Amino acid sequence: GQVKYFYNNAIIQYNLVKKYTADVQTKEVTRTINYVDKTTEQPMPSDLIQTITQTVTFTQYQVKDRNGNMIGYNTSGTWNDDTYIPSTESNGQIKIDTTDIDESWINSADIKWDTVTNPNLKRNGYSGPFESDGSTDFTSVVGESPTALTANNTINVYYTEDTVEVTSGEPKQSGDDIAGTDEKYPSGVAENDLNKTVTRIIHVYNPDNQSVNTETQDVKYTRTATINIVTKVVTYSDWVSTNNKWSEYLPTLDAGESIRSITDMNDNA
């Protein structure tokens, strides 16, 4: 509007500007990176690696008329630390830069979702990092520049628990180092855990109950241990033997002798 009045025979005119007001809104767009043990489908131990949350905050500077109606957005202002200072027209009025809501959001410092390098946890007993299939390498989550229209995003990075085999020919002691890791062997993988000998002893006596011969027969069994490097749980293969039979024993008999009886260690026939 205009106001006119006379002063000393001169006409003075004022142009009245309807002052706009402003309302500031914020919106967060978040990317969450989870680290998952694919063997158990549980989160990875927090002492090894933790969930990463990346957040970008957008600001919207709404311009309203004196009746409180939203008439557009200011996007060409400046930032003083965390405070947005809107740009103005020559008459001091807040400038309307756009009426498109999709173009109204401002990223104050051009903040992005940074690239994240996923750690190698081989020394802790894990293979990976992998994508969801558990086999495709996923060494890093690449950086992105989201907009206010970008949907919140969740990315899962997977690791699998490693195992190591201990054979009967190379047993280990509890506390021995597991090669290539910072972990130690648990109990249950020593010589006696992986090797077993079953023995049959044959005693031969004459008619006077005097021992005349002793025959010792051994059958050796072996098995392999598999250790989960993370949990230290030990599982075993079945016992196997290359010759799982005691040999037939035929005592030497003199003329006129015969076998009177065959008994076990409890004298049972």
Side-chain angles (χ1 to χ4, degrees):
Q2 297 179 340
V3 175
K4 296 181 180 180
Y5 69 92
F6 295 93
Y7 180 74
N8 290 337
N9 295 320
I11 298 176
I12 300 175
Q13 177 175 307
Y14 291 91
N15 294 318
L16 301 181
V17 177
K18 296 179 181 179
K19 189 69 174 179
Y20 293 157
T21 59
D23 187 16
V24 179
Q25 303 290 328
T26 59
K27 177 182 180 180
E28 292 184 343
V29 178
T30 300
R31 179 170 78 172
T32 303
I33 303 173
N34 296 318
Y35 293 96
V36 182
D37 181 338
K38 192 168 180 62
T39 304
T40 62
E41 294 296 340
Q42 296 297 314
M44 290 288 288
S46 59
D47 59 334
L48 290 181
I49 189 170
Q50 297 181 358
T51 295
I52 295 174
T53 301
Q54 299 174 310
T55 301
V56 177
T57 301
F58 294 88
T59 300
Q60 185 188 69
Y61 202 89
Q62 300 177 354
V63 182
K64 298 183 177 181
D65 63 21
R66 65 177 180 175
N67 296 318
N69 299 313
M70 205 274 292
I71 55 176
Y73 308 94
N74 184 275
T75 60
S76 59
T78 58
W79 289 90
N80 184 4
D81 293 329
D82 293 329
T83 302
Y84 180 74
I85 302 173
S87 56
T88 59
E89 303 287 1
S90 58
N91 60 3
Q93 186 66 279
I94 298 175
K95 184 178 181 181
I96 297 175
D97 294 308
T98 182
T99 58
D100 186 343
I101 189 172
D102 291 347
E103 298 177 357
S104 66
W105 295 98
I106 310 163
N107 185 342
S108 61
D110 194 27
I111 298 173
K112 303 176 181 179
W113 289 334
D114 292 333
T115 295
V116 174
T117 300
N118 301 319
N120 184 316
L121 299 177
K122 195 69 176 179
R123 299 206 64 83
N124 301 102
Y126 292 92
S127 288
F130 300 122
E131 295 186 10
S132 59
D133 60 5
S135 60
T136 303
D137 289 343
F138 199 0
T139 56
S140 65
V141 180
V142 297
E144 292 185 51
S145 297
T147 71
L149 304 181
T150 302
N152 292 333
N153 192 10
T154 298
I155 295 175
N156 291 331
V157 181
Y158 294 88
Y159 293 83
T160 57
E161 297 174 6
D162 285 340
T163 60
V164 60
E165 285 191 350
V166 178
T167 63
S168 60
E170 298 183 15
K172 306 295 182 183
Q173 295 298 317
S174 176
D176 285 352
D177 292 334
I178 299 178
T181 76
D182 296 328
E183 305 299 318
K184 307 288 185 182
Y185 281 102
S187 59
V189 292
E191 174 77 23
N192 292 338
D193 298 307
L194 306 179
N195 295 272
K196 179 170 67 174
T197 299
V198 181
T199 300
R200 178 171 75 169
I201 301 176
I202 303 171
H203 299 281
V204 181
Y205 297 90
N206 64 16
D208 296 326
N209 207 33
Q210 296 174 329
S211 177
V212 294
N213 189 29
T214 298
E215 173 84 6
T216 300
Q217 298 177 333
D218 292 332
V219 173
K220 184 177 180 181
Y221 289 87
T222 61
R223 63 180 179 178
T224 298
T226 300
I227 301 96
N228 182 309
I229 300 176
V230 174
T231 64
K232 305 302 186 294
V233 172
V234 182
T235 56
Y236 300 97
S237 66
D238 293 334
W239 289 104
V240 295
S241 176
T242 56
N243 180 15
N244 60 357
K245 293 183 179 180
W246 288 314
S247 300
E248 181 182 14
Y249 177 74
L250 297 174
T252 301
L253 300 175
D254 294 333
E257 292 182 337
S258 62
I259 298 175
R260 183 177 66 187
S261 65
I262 300 176
T263 60
D264 61 20
M265 62 185 299
N266 297 316
D267 287 331
N268 296 316

